[in-house]
Amino acid sequence: MSKIMSNNYWLDAWQQGKIAFHQSTINQFLLFYFNQLNIKSNSRILVPLCGKTSDMLWLHQQGHKITGVELSNIACRDFFIENDLSYKLTIDNKFKRYGNDNIELMCGDIFAFDDQCPFQMIYDRGALVAFPPIMRQEYVVLLTQLSMPGTILFLVAFESDCKPMCPPFPISYTEINDLFGHHFTIQQLKKQIVSEIPKNMLEHGCKKLFFSAYLFVRF
Ligand code: SAH
């Protein structure tokens, strides 16, 4: 899957409402581990490939400023509408910015995203695994640029023995170490079996699937 195919895949998914990845509740790993991450109050948190996750609202309610980056206008708009939040739409360089003082969603391709000021935390749930393996390296370079020594990266991913043709693309502990180990310390917090394997993954021979949660600290 190339970059263009990947972007089209996601834009179509939003257009057609095929958003099974979207959770109506706050992510269980975020809820469980967040306090242990000791994020300073009023931090800037980046949520790459944010979709319309309510995790952003929850993170803001913990006292932080949120920047999400998302390809689909539908997702950005629906986040504010469904949460009954006011927002302004502005054009900010290559991005459409849907935002208020607390939460801003930058609509566009994350690989065009650039921010002068590094983030104190990055929350990746379903972002790394949304990219086909050939795009991972470029994503890691970007996260390295958007962070600074001490930045916490909290990652929620999938791990499996199979290689599906469409997202999510599972990733192993070894692959994560190879990708991030040059710039981050890596601690696996959790590996938890997924009881119901999604249909597309079963079709690609995934017999076992795990959620995995990691804490990275940039050095
Ligand atoms: N983190 C969210 C969504 C995960 S699904 C959640 O937990 O619900 C991956 C999301 O990334 C989709 O909403 C998709 O539209 C978006 N996306 C995929 N490629 C992207 C890119 N290159 N730039 C920005 N967003 C992208």
Side-chain angles (χ1 to χ4, degrees):
M1 192 185 248
S2 68
K3 205 177 215 181
I4 296 172
M5 279 166 73
S6 173
N7 286 3
N8 287 338
Y9 171 93
W10 289 108
L11 290 170
D12 286 352
W14 280 102
Q15 201 83 53
Q16 294 167 20
K18 292 186 182 161
I19 52 165
F21 54 83
H22 178 69
Q23 299 179 313
S24 53
T25 52
I26 306 305
N27 183 266
Q28 53 158 331
F29 300 111
L30 181 66
L31 280 178
F32 189 83
Y33 289 108
F34 185 73
N35 279 343
Q36 298 173 33
L37 306 180
N38 287 322
I39 306 298
K40 271 192 254 143
S41 59
N42 210 21
S43 283
R44 290 186 74 220
I45 302 182
L46 174 67
V47 185
L49 280 65
C50 58
K52 57 173 181 178
T53 179
S54 333
D55 296 349
M56 295 190 282
L57 189 53
W58 186 84
L59 283 167
H60 164 61
Q61 287 161 352
Q62 309 315 301
H64 307 292
K65 289 213 183 246
I66 311 301
T67 299
V69 185
E70 166 58 47
L71 206 52
S72 165
N73 276 293
I74 300 172
C76 295
R77 184 201 60 201
D78 286 0
F79 171 81
F80 287 98
I81 291 176
E82 290 172 13
N83 289 302
D84 214 2
L85 298 169
S86 63
Y87 69 96
K88 271 195 194 140
L89 178 57
T90 47
I91 306 291
D92 184 319
N93 201 1
K94 295 173 202 128
F95 287 82
K96 270 196 205 161
R97 179 186 182 277
Y98 293 72
N100 57 38
D101 290 343
N102 306 313
I103 303 179
E104 60 174 5
L105 304 190
M106 307 301 287
C107 185
D109 188 332
I110 191 147
F111 293 108
F113 183 69
D114 170 19
D115 200 294
Q116 301 308 317
C117 189
F119 292 89
Q120 281 99 4
M121 178 182 172
I122 301 172
Y123 170 53
D124 174 324
R125 183 256 168 191
L128 177 64
V129 295
F131 291 121
I134 53 158
M135 289 171 71
R136 286 175 181 161
Q137 183 64 48
E138 196 183 341
Y139 177 64
V140 174
V141 170
L142 180 71
L143 293 192
T144 307
Q145 286 163 356
L146 295 169
S147 56
M148 60 186 165
T151 296
I152 301 286
L153 167 49
F154 185 66
L155 170 71
V156 180
F158 286 112
E159 186 167 342
S160 184
D161 46 356
C162 63
K163 295 205 183 322
M165 304 296 281
C166 55
F169 300 98
I171 183 162
S172 69
Y173 179 75
T174 314
E175 288 169 312
I176 284 182
N177 262 288
D178 290 347
L179 282 168
F180 289 93
H182 303 288
H183 296 285
F184 294 87
T185 61
I186 298 170
Q187 186 189 351
Q188 185 164 35
L189 299 170
K190 188 84 183 172
K191 184 172 169 183
Q192 179 181 306
I193 193 133
V194 177
S195 49
E196 269 187 51
I197 302 180
K199 201 165 132 251
N200 78 308
M201 295 184 103
L202 278 175
E203 284 164 2
H204 286 99
C206 299
K207 294 192 190 67
K208 269 198 174 168
L209 181 65
F210 301 89
F211 290 120
S212 52
Y214 292 86
L215 165 60
F216 299 178
V217 183
R218 175 90 145 81
F219 55 80

